[in-house]
Amino acid sequence: MARRPASSLRKSPTQDRAKHTVDAILRASAHILRTQGYEACTTNAVAKKAGVSIGSLYQYFPSKEALVTALAQAHADRGYALLVDWVREAGEKALSLEDTVRGYIRAMVALHGVDPALHRVLTEQVPRIGAGVKLVRQLSQRSAAMVRAWLESQASHFRADLDLDLATYMLVTSVEAVIFMVVLEAPKSLQGDRLVDEVSELVLRYLGVRRR
Amino acid sequence: MARRPASSLRKSPTQDRAKHTVDAILRASAHILRTQGYEACTTNAVAKKAGVSIGSLYQYFPSKEALVTALAQAHADRGYALLVDWVREAGEKALSLEDTVRGYIRAMVALHGVDPALHRVLTEQVPRIGAGVKLVRQLSQRSAAMVRAWLESQASHFRADLDLDLATYMLVTSVEAVIFMVVLEAPKSLQGDRLVDEVSELVLRYLGVRRR
DNA sequence: GTAAAATATGAGCAAATGCTCAGGTTGTAA
DNA sequence: TTACAACCTGAGCATTTGCTCATATTTTAC
């Protein structure tokens, strides 16, 4: 069962036919991960679900780890794009502090809401994979940097004793975690805008923003 | 490879010799989980590490899942005991709101600090195991109930518009998540009492506690 | 049309995994 | 001492896994 090391695409598909194959493989693995978890996501199962032979799978993905990593990469890219959107929006329209925070939370909720089950499996399993550690660290550093920059630009509106580095860490972590949990468990008390409201409250109060 | 369903101990050890065997097995599996993760924690590997034959392992644990579940149970029990201690302490000595919160956070930090790597693996893998789902739900419900009861008893000191159910959820989730993350990543900016301070700040501000 | 390149196939290998069972060893109690 | 129970052993079975490779089919380029 000698496992090969993880890496990116082995061969890049040029013909349409091949692109469809790669797409089917990615879709199938996402579906299995989401519905049956990481252990059930065997290369043979993925190939079967994708309606493709295992040989084809290994023509494009050098290992099972590479497959999962590719999926995680795509997922992470989507997430980062949402963050970038938030920054742009907060910059263009001159939003209030409250609205900017709410926009951020809303973007995060949307991100997690897209495919919570897949998100869970990826966040749990990817860090254990060699190439995955780098990926996770990269994404969290990027988003932390964006939040940190925004905090800095608005520092005058926060409580005086706020440590920006600490605050960045606290906010990124707790916001991510609460939303992650809520979206997975979906308690009825936190549906619709209630979640956005409550997390915003947590953030604004922690920052010491004076309102009204 | 037909997997057996998970359940508790198959046979309870009565002689000292047998108790040592069970103990060695539990220690070995904890060590492998902690250092090499769930997948590496095979029954054969555990038996070898424990200096015991696989046969002996299966005499006490009917399946791999049962083994991990037993470990998680012990871990959860330790955690719950810390919570109970906190409640007792907060009741006996008439602690201030601030000190009670700090005590809670401190207990949580201590809990996660004991064996962070094992805690991570357990929290990630146990929910996927049949018997594990129940275990996890039970523990989180218990701790939520304690926090909720305390919030209720102190409600007059919080902001008027605080929804106790929501607050319970938000606090349990975010506190757990932040501490979990911090203990794993151990950023130098959040060492010693800094973590306890900062999380307490988050909680107290969210609750709307007026101080000084 | 034809040759080369790109793509697809799937039987099957080597290694691993969860677990059993037939038989051995150690403790206990009379 | 003897007899029985508690305990331990480990070779190995049935199955699964990640993955290869020789071969077949399709597309592209001329």
Side-chain angles (χ1 to χ4, degrees):
Chain A
M1 248 210 276
R3 271 99 175 189
R4 307 183 78 265
S7 84
S8 50
L9 273 193
R10 178 178 256 179
K11 197 199 275 183
S12 42
T14 60
Q15 301 179 6
D16 269 10
R17 184 169 53 134
K19 280 175 187 160
H20 284 137
T21 300
V22 170
D23 201 58
I25 291 171
L26 286 174
R27 281 176 188 285
S29 46
H31 183 260
I32 295 179
L33 279 176
R34 179 176 20 218
T35 57
Q36 290 160 265
Y38 185 78
E39 284 192 52
C41 187
T42 69
T43 48
N44 286 289
V46 168
K48 191 173 182 182
K49 179 89 193 167
V52 157
S53 77
I54 340 106
S56 290
L57 190 156
Y58 278 95
Q59 204 143 70
Y60 299 105
F61 301 95
S63 70
K64 179 187 176 178
E65 295 199 348
L67 177 55
V68 176
T69 305
L71 219 51
Q73 183 66 259
H75 192 75
D77 287 347
R78 255 177 292 160
Y80 187 67
L82 278 181
L83 256 186
V84 172
D85 280 355
W86 165 68
V87 169
R88 191 174 39 72
E89 195 181 314
E92 285 179 3
K93 320 172 185 180
L95 292 179
S96 68
L97 268 186
E98 281 194 58
D99 287 341
T100 308
V101 168
R102 292 179 65 85
Y104 172 59
I105 311 287
R106 207 185 299 276
M108 284 310 206
V109 171
L111 167 61
H112 285 79
V114 173
D115 200 339
L118 178 62
H119 184 83
R120 166 172 212 160
V121 174
L122 287 179
T123 53
E124 279 176 359
Q125 308 300 335
V126 167
R128 307 187 319 175
I129 301 175
V133 180
K134 234 180 87 188
L135 209 165
V136 169
R137 213 186 303 266
Q138 197 180 33
L139 181 66
S140 70
Q141 274 175 356
R142 275 181 169 183
S143 46
M146 302 199 90
V147 169
R148 158 84 215 214
W150 179 78
L151 284 181
E152 206 159 347
S153 74
Q154 308 291 325
S156 62
H157 302 103
F158 304 144
R159 47 185 243 253
D161 62 330
L162 187 73
D163 180 319
L164 294 187
D165 284 325
L166 273 188
T168 302
Y169 196 87
M170 293 285 296
L171 291 183
V172 170
T173 305
S174 60
V175 167
E176 159 79 22
V178 171
I179 296 176
F180 181 60
M181 273 293 150
V182 170
V183 170
L184 270 183
E185 300 180 6
K188 48 196 169 310
S189 60
L190 274 172
Q191 259 157 17
D193 270 358
R194 286 297 288 165
L195 175 58
V196 175
D197 289 346
E198 209 60 26
V199 177
S200 300
E201 196 70 29
L202 181 74
V203 170
L204 291 168
R205 284 183 168 270
Y206 172 70
L207 294 175
V209 174
R210 282 176 303 277
R211 286 173 289 173
R212 213 147 311 116
Chain B
M1 249 211 274
R3 271 100 174 186
R4 308 182 79 267
S7 84
S8 50
L9 273 193
R10 179 178 257 181
K11 197 199 276 184
S12 41
T14 60
Q15 300 179 5
D16 270 10
R17 186 170 47 137
K19 280 175 187 160
H20 284 139
T21 300
V22 171
D23 200 58
I25 292 171
L26 286 173
R27 283 177 187 283
S29 45
H31 182 259
I32 295 179
L33 280 177
R34 179 176 19 219
T35 57
Q36 289 160 266
Y38 186 78
E39 286 192 53
C41 188
T42 69
T43 48
N44 287 289
V46 168
K48 190 174 183 182
K49 179 89 194 167
V52 156
S53 78
I54 340 104
S56 289
L57 191 156
Y58 278 95
Q59 205 144 67
Y60 298 105
F61 301 95
S63 70
K64 178 187 177 177
E65 295 199 350
L67 177 55
V68 176
T69 305
L71 219 52
Q73 183 68 258
H75 191 74
D77 287 348
R78 254 176 293 161
Y80 187 65
L82 278 181
L83 256 186
V84 172
D85 280 356
W86 165 67
V87 169
R88 191 175 39 71
E89 195 181 315
E92 286 178 3
K93 320 174 185 178
L95 292 179
S96 69
L97 268 186
E98 280 194 59
D99 287 340
T100 308
V101 168
R102 292 179 63 87
Y104 172 59
I105 312 288
R106 208 186 298 276
M108 284 309 204
V109 171
L111 168 61
H112 286 80
V114 173
D115 200 338
L118 178 62
H119 184 84
R120 164 169 214 162
V121 174
L122 287 178
T123 53
E124 279 176 359
Q125 307 300 333
V126 167
R128 307 187 317 174
I129 300 174
V133 181
K134 234 181 86 187
L135 209 164
V136 169
R137 213 186 304 265
Q138 198 179 33
L139 180 65
S140 70
Q141 274 176 358
R142 275 181 170 183
S143 47
M146 303 199 90
V147 169
R148 158 82 214 217
W150 179 78
L151 284 180
E152 207 159 346
S153 75
Q154 307 292 325
S156 62
H157 302 102
F158 305 145
R159 48 186 243 252
D161 62 330
L162 188 73
D163 180 320
L164 293 187
D165 284 324
L166 272 189
T168 303
Y169 196 87
M170 293 285 296
L171 291 183
V172 170
T173 305
S174 60
V175 167
E176 159 80 20
V178 171
I179 295 175
F180 181 59
M181 273 291 150
V182 170
V183 170
L184 271 182
E185 300 180 6
K188 49 196 169 309
S189 59
L190 275 173
Q191 260 159 15
D193 269 358
R194 285 297 287 166
L195 175 58
V196 176
D197 290 345
E198 208 61 24
V199 177
S200 300
E201 195 70 30
L202 181 75
V203 170
L204 290 169
R205 285 184 167 269
Y206 172 70
L207 293 175
V209 174
R210 282 176 304 276
R211 285 173 290 175
R212 213 149 308 115

